[in-house]
Amino acid sequence: MLTEFLTWQLKKMKIILTGASRGIGAATIKELAKNGNQDILAIARNEERLAKLKAETEATFPGSKVHLLVADLSKIDEKTLRAKIEATIGGVDLLINNAGYLINKPFSETSLEDWRQVFEINVFAVAFLTKTLLPYLQQSGNAHVLNISSMGGFQGSSKFPGLSAYSSSKAALANLTECLAEELQDFNIKVNCLAIGAVQTEMLAQAFPGYKAPLEAEEMASFFAYFALQGHRFFNGKVLPVSVSTP
Ligand SMILES: NC(=O)c1ccc[n+]([C@@H]2O[C@H](COP(=O)([O-])OP(=O)(O)OC[C@H]3O[C@@H](n4cnc5c(N)ncnc54)[C@H](OP(=O)(O)O)[C@@H]3O)[C@@H](O)[C@H]2O)c1
């Protein structure tokens, strides 16, 4: 058992992370690359930021390789995704569904389109991506799907005006995590969710203008990387609050 685990640890990991162009996602790519020889496919829409991230990460951690998929998660199709994986990392051991979209607007002013956009990225894209990647995750034999939710979507936590679509989408993501963990356990795919508190990023500035978060993106990223690589040894189907405060 221990030998199997050590062999797994030495294996080059095939990783997909969404929302890689900035904030916690970009910092997590660097943390993962630092942790060993990793093969990472980074997904986001902003090509310039992705290219900069790739150049910086590969220069600092030459053992790791960062491949890029410039794509809008609400429009991505199975064929493009599979072709990109075949041409780059060739499999998936770890999927980090980190991309997030937030609309800060009083509930009474929200449109159906606002709700659709938020759920499209925070829930539907996660379900679609995970489903499309199932054959690869199954082949891994020890795969981990890590969903990034928010304390706003954690049952019983403080709620804030203007974030009804965002927070409820993150609650849906947490529940989806529990459902998938149950359904995918026979394929040896573990699914967990981190419901995080405030971290200083562009998204936080949009949600809480002027608020100073207790954590920088790099600090949360080091926890993401650790949990993504190790958490599925200890947890499956868990929604874990990761917060020292909520703003
Ligand atoms: N920061 C916080 O305090 C906080 C608190 C709770 C939860 N979270 C969650 O933590 C995760 C990371 O947050 P963050 O603060 O680092 O956010 P951020 O700085 O706003 O970054 C969001 C990322 O998602 C990507 N993204 C958004 N829409 C996309 C789309 N349609 N297609 C592809 N990529 C898309 C963005 O890339 P492009 O724009 O280049 O596409 C960007 O890389 C999110 O899931 C967020 O909800 C954050």
Side-chain angles (χ1 to χ4, degrees):
M1 182 71 183
L2 183 63
T3 323
E4 262 173 41
F5 176 67
L6 289 173
T7 313
W8 167 255
Q9 286 289 288
L10 293 171
K11 197 179 133 184
K12 196 165 178 133
M13 293 281 281
K14 300 168 194 299
I15 302 170
I16 295 187
L17 183 142
T18 68
S21 62
R22 61 173 189 262
I24 311 167
T28 302
I29 296 273
K30 289 185 178 167
E31 280 296 327
L32 289 165
K34 192 200 281 183
N35 265 277
N37 296 335
Q38 317 288 12
D39 232 351
I40 308 169
L41 179 59
I43 306 179
R45 290 165 302 180
N46 190 314
E47 188 167 9
E48 204 179 315
R49 285 189 183 194
L50 283 178
K52 187 165 175 273
L53 174 75
K54 174 182 167 67
E56 284 175 6
T57 309
E58 290 182 349
T60 317
F61 310 107
S64 291
K65 184 95 189 119
V66 180
H67 308 272
L68 305 179
L69 176 55
V70 180
D72 184 332
L73 287 166
S74 65
K75 299 192 180 110
I76 202 164
D77 64 279
E78 283 187 34
K79 213 172 142 204
T80 310
L81 199 54
R82 292 218 175 98
K84 189 72 186 186
I85 291 169
E86 297 300 337
T88 55
I89 59 179
V92 187
D93 302 306
L94 170 59
L95 167 64
I96 307 179
N97 287 307
N98 164 77
Y101 181 66
L102 179 146
I103 286 179
N104 185 358
K105 208 185 252 192
F107 173 68
S108 58
E109 292 171 21
T110 55
S111 65
L112 182 55
E113 188 49 32
D114 289 336
W115 282 83
R116 283 202 172 116
Q117 276 180 6
V118 171
F119 272 73
E120 189 75 52
I121 300 306
N122 296 352
V123 187
F124 306 158
V126 174
F128 172 76
L129 191 62
T130 310
K131 185 186 165 271
T132 304
L133 298 181
L134 278 182
Y136 298 104
L137 292 164
Q138 201 172 337
Q139 219 171 36
S140 161
N142 188 14
H144 191 194
V145 177
L146 178 58
N147 296 328
I148 305 304
S149 181
S150 164
M151 280 306 291
F154 194 76
Q155 191 177 17
S157 68
S158 306
K159 299 295 181 287
F160 299 94
L163 301 181
S164 55
Y166 174 77
S167 296
S168 57
S169 73
K170 289 298 191 180
L173 178 60
N175 193 284
L176 177 66
T177 302
E178 295 177 326
C179 297
L180 295 188
E182 178 60 29
E183 206 164 321
L184 303 181
Q185 61 183 335
D186 291 346
F187 303 130
N188 214 4
I189 300 170
K190 308 283 196 309
V191 190
N192 288 299
C193 179
L194 299 178
I196 66 169
V199 180
Q200 202 58 48
T201 66
E202 288 177 30
M203 181 181 284
L204 184 89
Q206 190 193 346
F208 301 102
Y211 175 81
K212 177 77 185 95
L215 288 176
E216 297 296 327
E218 290 71 21
E219 296 175 280
M220 185 57 85
S222 76
F223 181 70
F224 274 19
Y226 166 74
F227 190 85
L229 295 170
Q230 301 284 343
H232 59 317
R233 290 172 60 207
F234 309 100
F235 300 100
N236 187 29
K238 295 292 180 285
V239 180
L240 303 169
V242 184
S243 175
V244 287
S245 75
T246 43

